[in-house]
Amino acid sequence: MTIARPPITYGHHIYGRSTTGPSNETFVRNSPMSADVVSVYANGTSSDVDLASNAARVAFDEGQWPRMRGSERAQILLRWASLIRDNQEALAALEVEETGKTIRFAREDAIGMAELTAYAASLAYEMHGDSFSNLGERHSAVVHREAIGVVGLIVPWNFPGLIYCQKVPFALAAGNSVIVKPSEFTSGTALYLTRLAEEAGVPAGVINVVTGAGPVVGQSLVAHPDVDMISFTGSTAVGRKVLEQAAAAPKRVHVELGSKAANIVFADADLEDALDGTLFGVFFNQGECCVSGARLLVQDSIADEFVTALVARTKALRVGNPRDEKTDIGALIHRDHMVNVLKHVAEGQSAGAQLLIGGGPQEVVGFPDGAFMQLTILDQVHEDMNVFQQEIFGPVLVITRFTDEEEAIRLANASSYGLANAVWTRDVDRAITVPRRLKSGTVYVNTQIDGAVQLPFGGYKGSGFGREMGKLGLEEFTQTKSVMYHLGKRQPYFVSKEV
Ligand code: NAD
């Protein structure tokens, strides 16, 4: 499959067909690099969610997908993974145009999508329950692990393809049908991946995609009586609304929310590695990454030297045209978001933080209307400042100094979030004991924004609950059924008089 030249027009994807739905309305996505229209999408309504939910319901209640052997589902998912790999360039190009991320990293994302899908295929073989033969002579029991049914998947804009693949192949491996609601800024990859899935053999109706506004399509999906579960990734503010709405049903919900990860550099670290990791941790994907190491906690004995080197290295990074292979950092998702990020920086300065570098828009030749921002570092940040506590979701590093291990741990945990943290040290004990005391679902030691499809991923505290990837990534989309057997002729329950 190849992609057309922009602007590309897309419909929803319902029961294997592209449709603009009953309303026939559209909305556009403007390039984050320029004001040009890159995509035209069907503007979803609750009627489109009705159609998609019905398609998914029929596929689950009557279709072949949940009735196949796990091994058959695995073969189809493996074919899908292989098609994703074959379409790496097209997927990467789509993501560059809609997200503003750089082509180099967009290619890596596409490989990640294939890897997630192939791993989910392996779990389709491994979906099993349990059995109990220790219940006495007259009883036996089995625990079946079953699909949930119809799952609504709500996806953000920062890694549209990767997060789709952290959810959809896993839900499918378990036998579910899904309705995906991609971000209105980056819906292209979800539609492209879904077409590849059907080319690989996923039956029509098993994956449906409805595009449009969150408060319309997202809300209708959460409220829909035919949707048995919601898996949401996005901001904590919207996650809270999703939880409230799901509680009213009530229905099962899994939420992956915001973060403000600490990147702790101890004086005994390999400082060259720590510098490189700190830069990558905060500026990768323009800082629009849920696990961004946006808070640098640095030990005061090395802080001055480390921060001076960090500023020098930041100046050497290339912010610019995301289509250029040599660019390190591309455009933010849109100009309104950039304005918001810059407001956080100004507010931090008013609260007493010291601006070391950046703090404004970045001019990029040939892209006068792009959402390009200077890489920004704020020093002298205290834990009671908003810039320490709030997720800014842009290329902004805030620096706080600490004296000893206790203080580093206390500062790292002084956050309402708990998605990830990183530790840089060469002390073996510290590399083991500090991660144990950090309150987050992931800890990186002498590395940053790292991981593997086998490792479960998710939040502590305000970063949400539930897990994606790893074996738990499949279990998240399943429920258990305990079946108790009585063996042989049973004794009466009641001791009644003879009749
Ligand atoms: P967002 O919360 O604004 O939107 C996420 C999705 O929810 C979008 O598809 C949006 O259209 C939809 N939505 C909006 N309002 C809705 C409503 N009322 N009901 C249902 N759905 C609704 O988030 P975003 O700006 O797209 O993404 C950035 C956020 O996502 C950041 O906070 C980031 O930390 C978080 N994130 C978290 C993870 C994680 O794994 N924890 C991963 C990536 C991004």
Side-chain angles (χ1 to χ4, degrees), residues 154-157 181 184 214 232-235 238 257-258 290 391 457:
I154 303 179
V155 178
W157 47 255
K181 191 281 178 226
E184 43 277 54
F232 170 87
T233 301
S235 62
V238 175
L257 307 175
C290 54
E391 182 183 49
F457 177 79

Side-chain angles (χ1 to χ4, degrees), residues 315-336:
K315 285 182 186 154
L317 294 175
R318 291 175 198 228
V319 178
N321 180 359
R323 297 174 192 133
D324 187 335
E325 306 279 343
K326 296 200 188 82
T327 301
D328 294 308
I329 289 112
L332 270 63
I333 193 72
H334 50 70
R335 280 189 81 91
D336 289 349

Side-chain angles (χ1 to χ4, degrees), residues 7 12 25 77 110 139 163-164 189 200 227 232 259 294 302 310 321 349 386 396 437 439 481 497:
H12 310 299
E25 279 178 23
L77 292 175
H139 285 99
I163 294 175
Y164 171 107
T189 340
V227 176
F232 170 87
S259 167
I302 53 145
L310 196 62
N321 180 359
Q349 284 179 269
N386 283 341
V396 180
R437 295 180 60 196
K439 293 182 180 141
K481 179 182 284 170
K497 282 192 244 159

Side-chain angles (χ1 to χ4, degrees), residues 1-4 83 86-91 191-199:
M1 214 188 289
T2 50
I3 53 170
L83 284 173
D86 295 346
N87 282 265
Q88 180 193 13
E89 275 309 309
L91 284 161
L191 289 158
Y192 198 101
L193 286 166
T194 301
R195 289 201 302 268
L196 292 182
E198 289 181 3
E199 197 180 322

Side-chain angles (χ1 to χ4, degrees), residues 229-389:
M229 172 185 172
I230 291 290
S231 172
F232 170 87
T233 301
S235 62
T236 300
V238 175
R240 218 172 266 130
K241 288 186 198 163
V242 167
L243 284 168
E244 278 168 19
Q245 224 191 332
K251 68 179 64 172
R252 178 146 156 192
V253 61
H254 156 217
V255 287
E256 298 278 358
L257 307 175
S259 167
K260 186 81 175 186
N263 179 63
I264 311 171
V265 179
F266 286 100
D268 62 37
D270 177 322
L271 295 184
E272 184 52 38
D273 280 1
L275 266 176
D276 191 47
T278 301
L279 287 170
F280 183 70
V282 65
F283 297 133
F284 166 63
N285 211 52
Q286 302 68 244
E288 296 168 327
C289 183
C290 54
V291 289
S292 287
R295 291 183 293 149
L296 169 63
L297 307 181
V298 56
Q299 195 151 21
D300 47 15
S301 57
I302 53 145
D304 288 343
E305 174 201 351
F306 192 80
V307 171
T308 305
L310 196 62
V311 172
R313 296 276 286 264
T314 300
K315 285 182 186 154
L317 294 175
R318 291 175 198 228
V319 178
N321 180 359
R323 297 174 192 133
D324 187 335
E325 306 279 343
K326 296 200 188 82
T327 301
D328 294 308
I329 289 112
L332 270 63
I333 193 72
H334 50 70
R335 280 189 81 91
D336 289 349
H337 180 56
M338 182 175 79
V339 169
N340 202 28
V341 171
L342 291 173
K343 269 192 205 150
H344 278 286
V345 175
E347 194 265 341
Q349 284 179 269
S350 312
Q354 184 193 353
L355 182 70
L356 297 184
I357 185 172
Q362 168 90 39
E363 281 186 23
V364 173
V365 178
F367 298 95
D369 299 314
F372 295 97
M373 193 189 135
Q374 293 170 347
L375 307 181
T376 299
I377 301 181
L378 290 169
D379 200 356
Q380 308 300 333
V381 171
H382 301 289
E383 64 184 287
D384 51 357
M385 291 182 186
N386 283 341
V387 284
F388 183 96
Q389 294 294 345

